[in-house]
Amino acid sequence: MTTCADDTTTIEELRKWQRALRAQFPIVTGHPDLAYLDSAATSQKPQAVLDAVHTYLTTTNANAGRGTYPWANRTTSLVEETRDRLRRFLEDPDPQWSAVHFTSGTTEGLRTIARDWLPGLLTDGDEIVVPVADHQANIQPWLDTQRQLARQGTHIRVLPMPYQHASGDYDHNALAQLAGPRTRFVAVTHVHHVYGGNMNIHRIRQAVGPDAVICLDAAQSIGHLPVSVTRLDVDFVAFSGHKSLALPGSGAVWARHARGPEFVPGGWSGTPNTVGIVSLAAALEWLQAAGTDRIERWTVALAARLTDVLRRLDAYEVLGCQTSLAADSPVQRRQGIVTFRHREIGAGDLGFILFSHGFMVRSDHHCQGGAGEKSESVRVSLHVYNTVEEIDRLLSVLATLG
Ligand code: PMP
């Protein structure tokens, strides 16, 4: 019997497990002729999330933290329960010493940290590391903080994160050389939204030392692999609910009160997205029951299948790491994202051709920062509902265009 490298689950068991999960996504099963390959932008939702939303809106819908009648109290409790669920999901070792703040997604989460928290950490001459070839959402807010502080007479230095461009990974050795005692804050991404690599966050901690704050953009890792703040020594985790099976416009920031001031989002934030928060609780519960370790194994295997064939087709260039390395590779590991170009067909045209065959992919610049790719590409991004058959069909269409 065939077994997976890092577990005793057989491939056959994994396939059966996946079939049962895929069957829980009505939009997927309702469109067997289409293949949704754009989960990095937004994910599809399982029935359990749709049910939780329906139940909430038809039994308890009210505002949170305001009224004193039962529906309002219940809504307030649901919001608090979601905070606790997220802490458990992230394996928060010290829940009394952390905060959970709900947002509309990763962008708002990172911007809130930059606007409301980071200025309180920094003094004149401090340095921050900015990942200049990652998503714009993880670049712009930090540059805005630098400008805002400069207007008040506090000058901080922005150190561009060094990259190893061929593999789409950070250059951890160069980062270790760059970071010094004034390097107070390091913004990083867990899984790169273009190159698909797991960015080896434990090596970032090794490179920058024990005192620097690390802020993790987990937009492409929450729901795709286990994300444990017991194991990752990071101070912030920001992510989007819509990319992790919850409703659009939901998300959260988790903050550890360990390095620097407490994270207290400023200002009056108004009515929270209660239904989004309810959907997030249901999504996290579903993901935990499914097992993020298995989801990772599944999507990594699909991405490896796609990468390994595609990079042998002369007509295509695969961006980032060229191999799908084994689970324990110290170098780089591709997660469920594969981005590529056809050497002659433009990315927009290729996206259009692929949709004519039923494949929904993303083809543009993927909101990557200025130090990233100069030309457009096609991105295939996977979740647990995607299948081997979808990958094989995609590969056969791509091969005919070679
Ligand atoms: N960071 C990364 C790595 C992303 O992939 C994305 C979305 N593509 C974002 C941030 C922004 O997420 P959102 O639009 O949900 O705020």
Side-chain angles (χ1 to χ4, degrees):
M1 213 177 323
T2 344
T3 56
C4 297
D6 51 352
D7 195 87
T8 54
T9 317
T10 65
I11 296 285
E12 292 72 22
E13 279 165 357
L14 204 59
R15 272 179 175 265
K16 198 165 151 229
W17 163 87
Q18 192 272 342
R19 268 198 300 277
L21 295 186
R22 176 180 163 91
Q24 296 175 37
F25 289 81
I27 199 170
V28 173
T29 55
H31 298 89
D33 46 333
L34 297 176
Y36 185 72
L37 301 173
D38 196 18
S39 293
T42 201
S43 66
Q44 302 303 344
K45 322 301 175 201
Q47 189 63 50
V49 169
L50 304 178
D51 288 347
V53 165
H54 186 264
T55 302
Y56 171 72
L57 288 175
T58 53
T59 62
T60 336
N61 179 43
N63 211 331
R66 287 157 172 78
T68 49
Y69 49 90
W71 292 359
N73 290 340
R74 177 75 191 123
T75 298
T76 304
S77 313
L78 286 169
V79 170
E80 289 312 314
E81 285 164 23
T82 308
R83 283 188 219 281
D84 292 341
R85 181 169 288 286
L86 178 61
R87 287 188 171 100
R88 288 197 301 278
F89 188 86
L90 294 175
E91 296 181 352
D92 184 342
D94 225 347
Q96 315 88 295
W97 292 101
S98 67
V100 172
H101 171 66
F102 294 110
T103 65
S104 63
T106 313
T107 304
E108 191 197 317
L110 296 173
R111 190 161 286 290
T112 304
I113 298 163
R115 192 194 52 212
D116 296 346
W117 183 85
L118 187 55
L121 177 77
L122 300 172
T123 54
D124 207 55
D126 279 347
E127 300 161 350
I128 65 173
V129 178
V130 175
V132 287
D134 290 5
H135 197 283
Q136 289 285 2
N138 200 9
I139 301 174
Q140 288 304 327
W142 319 123
L143 302 182
D144 289 347
T145 301
Q146 183 192 32
R147 272 191 291 270
Q148 179 201 328
L149 286 171
R151 278 196 296 272
Q152 297 159 6
T154 302
H155 296 279
I156 61 162
R157 273 182 73 206
V158 166
L159 309 176
M161 172 71 86
Y163 286 82
Q164 308 171 61
H165 278 283
S167 65
D169 197 1
Y170 299 136
D171 186 335
H172 304 93
N173 293 333
L175 179 62
Q177 298 293 315
L178 195 67
R182 298 303 303 264
T183 310
R184 306 290 311 281
F185 180 87
V186 184
V188 293
T189 302
H190 200 181
V191 172
H192 199 283
H193 73 295
V194 176
Y195 303 123
N198 183 325
M199 306 301 269
N200 294 314
I201 302 307
H202 60 285
R203 295 185 64 200
I204 298 281
R205 173 57 72 202
Q206 284 165 3
V208 301
D211 299 327
V213 170
I214 297 181
C215 174
L216 188 66
D217 173 345
Q220 302 301 347
S221 59
I222 294 284
H224 291 267
L225 62 148
V227 179
S228 162
V229 294
T230 297
R231 276 181 283 151
L232 291 178
D233 185 7
V234 297
D235 300 277
F236 290 97
V237 175
F239 72 100
S240 305
H242 39 272
K243 297 183 202 289
S244 43
L245 315 186
L247 289 190
S250 61
V253 167
W254 170 91
R256 198 198 296 273
H257 302 318
R259 299 176 180 93
E262 261 191 36
F263 175 61
V264 184
W268 176 250
S269 53
T271 298
N273 176 7
T274 50
V275 73
I277 294 168
V278 165
S279 78
L280 186 56
L284 296 178
E285 187 179 356
W286 192 93
L287 287 163
Q288 217 153 19
T292 46
D293 52 343
R294 285 187 171 199
I295 295 175
E296 178 180 21
R297 230 174 303 137
W298 182 257
T299 52
V300 163
L302 295 187
R305 195 174 180 103
L306 179 56
T307 309
D308 292 347
V309 175
L310 208 51
R311 74 192 172 90
R312 290 196 188 88
L313 297 178
D314 289 340
Y316 294 93
E317 176 199 1
V318 176
L319 307 188
C321 59
Q322 297 296 301
T323 51
S324 41
L325 297 175
D328 293 326
S329 163
V331 188
Q332 178 66 297
R333 186 183 193 195
R334 182 182 287 285
Q335 299 284 331
I337 294 178
V338 184
T339 305
F340 53 92
R341 291 192 197 99
H342 191 288
R343 296 188 200 277
E344 277 152 29
I345 306 172
D349 289 345
L350 186 53
F352 189 74
I353 295 169
L354 290 176
F355 184 68
S356 74
H357 293 271
F359 298 103
M360 290 178 266
V361 297
R362 169 103 176 246
S363 42
D364 58 17
H365 279 289
H366 318 292
C367 312
Q368 194 179 10
E373 297 296 318
K374 300 294 171 243
S375 54
E376 297 188 339
S377 51
V378 168
R379 179 180 73 187
V380 167
S381 56
L382 306 164
H383 217 308
V384 67
Y385 33 76
N386 293 117
T387 62
V388 175
E389 292 70 29
E390 287 173 340
I391 297 297
D392 288 352
R393 260 195 296 132
L394 175 67
L395 279 168
S396 67
V397 170
L398 290 171
T400 62
L401 302 173

